[in-house]
Amino acid sequence: MKTKKLKMMALALMLPALINAQSFKIKGSDTVLPLSQAESESYSKKSPGASISVTGGGSGVGLAAIISGTTDIAQSSRKMKMDEKLKMQEAGKAFKEVIIAYDALAVIVNPANPVSQLTREQLEGIFTGKITNWKEVGGADQKIVAYSRETSSGTYEFFKEHVLNKKNFGTNALLMPATGAIVQSVSQTKGAVGYVGLAYLEKNIKALKVSYDKGKTYVAPSVATAMDKSYPVTRPLYYYYLTSIEKTVSPFITYVLSPEGQKIVEQTGYVPLKK
Amino acid sequence: MKKLKRIFDKITHGVLFTSSMVTSVTVLLVIVFLFKEGIGLFNQTAVENHVVVVVNSANSVHELTSKQVKDIFNQDITNWKEVGGQDLEITTRSIDDLAGQFTEEELGTDMVNLPTLIDQYISDNPGVIAYFPDTYLKKDFRSKKIPLAKISVKEFISGVEWYPTSQPAAVYGAWPLILGTLWVSLGAILLALPIGLITALYMAEVAGQRLRNMLKPVVELLSGIPSVVYGFFGLVVLVPLIQRLFKLDVGETALAGSIILAIMSLPTIITIAEDAIRTTPRALKEASLALGASHWQTMTRVTIPYAKSGIIAAVILGIGRAVGETMAVLMVTGNASVIPHTFLEPVRTIPATIAAELGEAPFGGTHFKALFALGIILFIITFIFNMLVETVKTKKV
């Protein structure tokens, strides 16, 4: 009698694992993390039995994990680099890349700062340490304090590549461990300038208008301007997965790309692919 | 019965022996691992594995340092004559730039034509410097590979620039990080030692039983707070306070780190020092008082000298916590890798650097090894501290 009960219990415990073919891992970028969490949560509600585990660590960590085979989907806030592609090729793994949403990076300053717009060239000068005072870009006589993310962040790489024209950040740039820390520091430092994702904008900080055509047009960051591509500092967010497990992950990816999934994108503060 | 007892004794002895051996061996293995990974940095160049830096074959430059390569790709050096070549403007090309110059058709499937195209492009442009994976290096390549100088220990320690992710050549100069670590720890010790010792002395010798019973749990509570909480407290409360108090442009400074570390090491110092002071035998103190010494004289001449080794142990543990602490420091010191001149400037410490960068450094690459080399430096710093304290301790009064 007792053994029968035990067997039943064991079966009941194993049952979900047997039915549940849809069990996979997502790993990588901390920027994409909240989005992946929201998507997987609502997806699991719709199709019970699916179990998705989402972890962060950084874009590079996720891509390294997909190469070594310890994750099924790599979430990334930057495109796969050449040497990562080569490593995939060496490992003999074919992969697919999907853009799931966009993220706009806003350049932020302290609300007390009179400057409200900057060109890309000025931003480059500020973050590489060539421009050190706000009066050089039309502001008050105040030292500029540039806040950046740590070198491990995909946001850091994107900003370096697109805004700094691949130049290195100046040594005097303060490197903060998290986006929240940048928001906090910029809100309490008068001469501060930093960059954060659109989702982090709040009333304690001021987002600047940015110009990529040497000052002809300045565009303020918002979901609308990011969607019609008029705001220049926009980047795609990616999912990478192996072609060999496409069957397992494709229902989830289809869901993310569906109107319902894209609505979640907007709710989490990112820019949907299209309305 | 007697035999059984002997066997039991032997087993106990064996268990004790193995556990202590396992502990020592583990510690040794960790140190060996640290040194193995860290020292591996010094027979490598700062260029990522399997990446080559290439120039036109007519270029008269034969060797570049990684700092020169960084400055060239940073467009701080724009002419070849600045690095000993002919008067020719420099064009920089990354692998993505190179691949982006050609259409999908030209590249062919799986980019089979890329090596030939790259070779052609570099031969056509005399001023170009490019970097790409060595798999694209053709056998009969007409362009010239530029060898980079290997990273030397001297360069690593005395270099003043820390650009670990600069492409194609990283620059590893640990000097600002070493100074930053020492600076923050020094500040923390200067703040924590007097306060910690005075509190310990007060709690052990002066305060009444009731007050002591209240103070002790409060101090011990401090050590139970996670370091992230200290860091957040520092960022939100301490940093703006320092900024306003000293009228600074930036509040994230070495001083903020020192204060946070001092607060964090206080419980260790106070608890251990107080316990040490309280072990002074009552007879000794009473003898001193009986000889007519005042309470204060007894404290400084009898109690403190007797508890000296315990107080020093408190100091070692306090310093140990300060030098190695990561998270709280990472949040309040600003982490700019500049050489500090005062306590009111941002600094980047070694533990913060390791914590912030290890997650993204490609496993086994030069950046990874450079972080381990930083670990060795940190190890040596704490080792020197411990040695100093040991020598002081063995000098009996």
Side-chain angles (χ1 to χ4, degrees):
Chain A
M1 198 59 203
K2 222 176 186 179
T3 46
K4 210 175 176 186
K5 235 183 191 170
L6 270 174
K7 266 185 193 163
M8 291 267 281
M9 254 168 76
L11 241 163
L13 280 173
M14 273 162 67
L15 218 56
L18 288 174
I19 298 172
N20 177 17
Q22 272 187 14
S23 151
F24 54 90
K25 285 176 269 185
I26 305 177
K27 190 174 188 171
S29 164
D30 291 321
T31 308
V32 194
L33 183 68
L35 177 58
S36 289
Q37 274 169 341
E39 294 281 5
S40 65
E41 222 167 83
S42 70
Y43 177 72
S44 312
K45 258 183 221 153
K46 271 198 67 184
S47 52
S51 101
I52 306 170
S53 77
V54 188
T55 44
S59 301
V61 173
L63 291 169
I66 198 170
I67 293 167
S68 64
T70 50
T71 187
D72 300 305
I73 296 180
Q75 53 190 4
S76 175
S77 61
R78 60 165 168 81
K79 217 173 160 65
M80 196 181 252
K81 280 187 196 165
M82 206 63 195
D83 58 304
E84 283 160 343
K85 271 184 199 164
L86 280 172
K87 272 186 201 145
M88 285 294 258
Q89 252 175 35
E90 267 169 41
K93 288 175 176 170
F95 65 91
K96 284 211 169 145
E97 171 190 292
V98 204
I99 295 177
I100 53 158
Y102 289 95
D103 181 28
L105 279 189
V107 178
I108 53 166
V109 294
N110 191 279
N113 195 324
V115 174
S116 65
Q117 54 188 35
L118 288 173
T119 65
R120 190 201 67 76
E121 288 74 17
Q122 285 171 330
L123 284 173
E124 182 189 308
I126 288 171
F127 280 96
T128 52
K130 304 238 158 55
I131 299 176
T132 53
N133 197 303
W134 280 109
K135 70 178 176 197
E136 292 172 60
V137 291
D141 183 7
Q142 168 101 38
K143 204 183 142 207
I144 297 179
V145 185
Y147 287 92
S148 162
R149 286 291 309 279
E150 271 292 347
T151 53
S152 62
S153 141
T155 318
Y156 169 95
E157 297 247 348
F158 175 81
F159 201 79
K160 179 175 156 188
E161 200 157 299
H162 290 258
V163 181
L164 303 194
N165 204 6
K166 290 185 190 156
K167 289 177 188 166
N168 284 302
F169 281 81
T171 41
N172 54 351
L174 304 189
L175 306 183
M176 304 304 280
T179 307
I182 292 187
V183 172
Q184 179 66 34
S185 293
V186 170
S187 70
Q188 65 197 25
T189 308
K190 248 188 177 168
V193 58
Y195 57 88
V196 297
L198 206 53
Y200 289 90
L201 284 187
E202 48 164 290
K203 61 178 189 311
N204 296 333
I205 49 177
K206 186 171 89 175
L208 292 184
K209 290 181 187 165
V210 176
S211 163
Y212 258 49
D213 50 7
K214 305 226 160 87
K216 272 180 231 146
T217 47
Y218 288 92
V219 184
S222 72
V223 173
T225 52
M227 269 180 86
D228 66 18
K229 304 258 159 43
S230 59
Y231 185 71
V233 201
T234 314
R235 58 172 171 172
L237 304 177
Y238 301 92
Y239 272 172
Y240 287 93
Y241 60 92
L242 297 181
T243 327
S244 53
I245 55 149
E246 198 170 355
K247 251 192 190 153
T248 328
V249 298
S250 69
F252 174 67
I253 288 177
T254 321
Y255 174 76
V256 174
L257 298 178
S258 72
E260 202 183 334
Q262 290 296 304
K263 213 171 143 195
I264 297 170
V265 167
E266 208 176 343
Q267 281 163 2
T268 356
Y270 296 94
V271 181
L273 299 175
K274 50 182 177 283
K275 265 227 163 97
Chain B
M1 201 58 209
K2 217 174 182 184
K3 211 173 179 185
L4 205 69
K5 208 174 168 189
R6 236 186 20 231
I7 292 171
F8 184 74
D9 272 359
K10 264 215 170 112
I11 292 174
T12 324
H13 183 255
V15 168
L16 290 180
F17 177 75
T18 352
S19 59
S20 66
M21 278 316 276
V22 166
T23 319
S24 321
V25 168
T26 314
V27 170
L28 278 178
L29 278 180
V30 170
I31 295 171
V32 167
F33 175 69
L34 175 71
F35 274 80
K36 195 186 126 252
E37 289 292 334
I39 286 170
L41 175 72
F42 299 112
N43 55 25
Q44 284 185 320
T45 64
V47 177
E48 230 175 294
N49 282 342
H50 306 300
V51 170
V52 286
V53 178
V54 171
V55 296
N56 188 282
S57 54
N59 199 317
S60 58
V61 174
H62 295 292
E63 206 189 44
L64 291 170
T65 65
S66 45
K67 189 173 177 323
Q68 282 170 329
V69 173
K70 187 213 89 189
D71 286 342
I72 287 173
F73 279 89
N74 228 3
Q75 291 153 47
D76 291 330
I77 294 176
T78 53
N79 198 303
W80 282 110
K81 71 177 174 200
E82 290 173 64
V83 286
Q86 60 265 66
D87 186 5
L88 192 67
E89 199 159 312
I90 301 178
T91 329
T92 56
R93 287 285 177 267
S94 71
I95 176 62
D96 292 318
D97 296 337
L98 286 168
Q101 273 175 332
F102 311 109
T103 61
E104 294 268 333
E105 256 169 55
E106 284 175 309
L107 290 171
T109 44
D110 277 345
M111 300 186 280
V112 279
N113 298 327
L114 192 56
T116 329
L117 289 169
I118 291 176
D119 194 21
Q120 187 61 43
Y121 176 79
I122 296 171
S123 306
D124 291 346
N125 295 279
V128 82
I129 179 165
Y131 70 92
F132 47 84
D134 60 1
T135 41
Y136 295 142
L137 203 65
K138 281 203 330 179
K139 263 204 189 110
D140 48 349
F141 212 70
R142 283 171 290 171
S143 323
K144 189 166 67 177
K145 225 171 107 176
I146 291 276
L148 254 73
K150 281 184 179 163
I151 301 167
S152 71
V153 178
K154 191 176 153 254
E155 205 186 318
F156 182 75
I157 293 176
S158 64
V160 295
E161 284 186 338
W162 182 257
Y163 279 116
T165 55
S166 174
Q167 288 283 346
V171 181
Y172 303 113
W175 190 234
L177 310 183
I178 297 170
L179 283 184
T181 309
L182 292 177
W183 210 231
V184 171
S185 316
L186 182 76
I189 294 163
L190 286 182
L191 288 171
L193 269 194
I195 299 175
L197 291 187
I198 290 168
T199 314
L201 210 56
Y202 176 76
M203 274 167 60
E205 293 289 307
V206 186
Q209 187 64 32
R210 262 179 66 195
L211 191 63
R212 187 179 166 271
N213 283 349
M214 255 162 62
L215 278 177
K216 187 119 179 155
V218 171
V219 168
E220 276 162 5
L221 195 69
L222 272 180
S223 65
I225 300 172
S227 61
V228 173
V229 176
Y230 279 109
F232 192 68
F233 164 78
L235 184 62
V236 177
V237 180
L238 207 57
V239 166
L241 194 72
I242 288 175
Q243 195 177 350
R244 249 178 288 137
L245 209 61
F246 296 96
K247 298 201 169 49
L248 298 174
D249 296 310
V250 207
E252 283 93 345
T253 53
L255 181 64
S258 295
I259 294 175
I260 287 292
L261 282 188
I263 298 174
M264 288 179 73
S265 51
L266 273 181
T268 320
I269 296 179
I270 294 174
T271 317
I272 298 174
E274 195 223 343
D275 286 345
I277 291 166
R278 288 172 68 85
T279 53
T280 312
R282 206 186 167 83
L284 274 183
K285 284 193 274 184
E286 277 171 358
S288 164
L289 293 171
L291 287 171
S294 68
H295 196 106
W296 172 248
Q297 281 169 329
T298 309
M299 254 193 317
T300 51
R301 307 273 169 85
V302 178
T303 318
I304 292 180
Y306 186 87
K308 209 173 102 190
S309 73
I311 293 174
I312 289 169
V315 174
I316 309 176
L317 292 172
I319 293 172
R321 177 137 197 206
V323 174
E325 172 52 41
T326 311
M327 205 51 221
V329 175
L330 187 64
M331 290 175 85
V332 299
T333 55
N335 304 317
S337 50
V338 285
I339 293 174
H341 298 287
T342 66
F343 275 110
L344 300 175
E345 278 172 86
V347 292
R348 189 175 179 87
T349 66
I350 293 177
T353 307
I354 298 175
E357 294 175 8
L358 197 59
E360 197 77 344
F363 184 79
T366 48
H367 187 190
F368 184 82
K369 286 184 175 147
L371 293 177
F372 272 91
L374 282 184
I376 294 179
I377 295 177
L378 194 62
F379 176 79
I380 292 171
I381 292 175
T382 30
F383 193 72
I384 291 173
F385 267 126
N386 284 4
M387 290 296 283
L388 277 180
V389 170
E390 281 297 320
T391 37
V392 173
K393 212 165 130 186
T394 44
K395 253 192 210 158
K396 283 266 184 267
V397 203

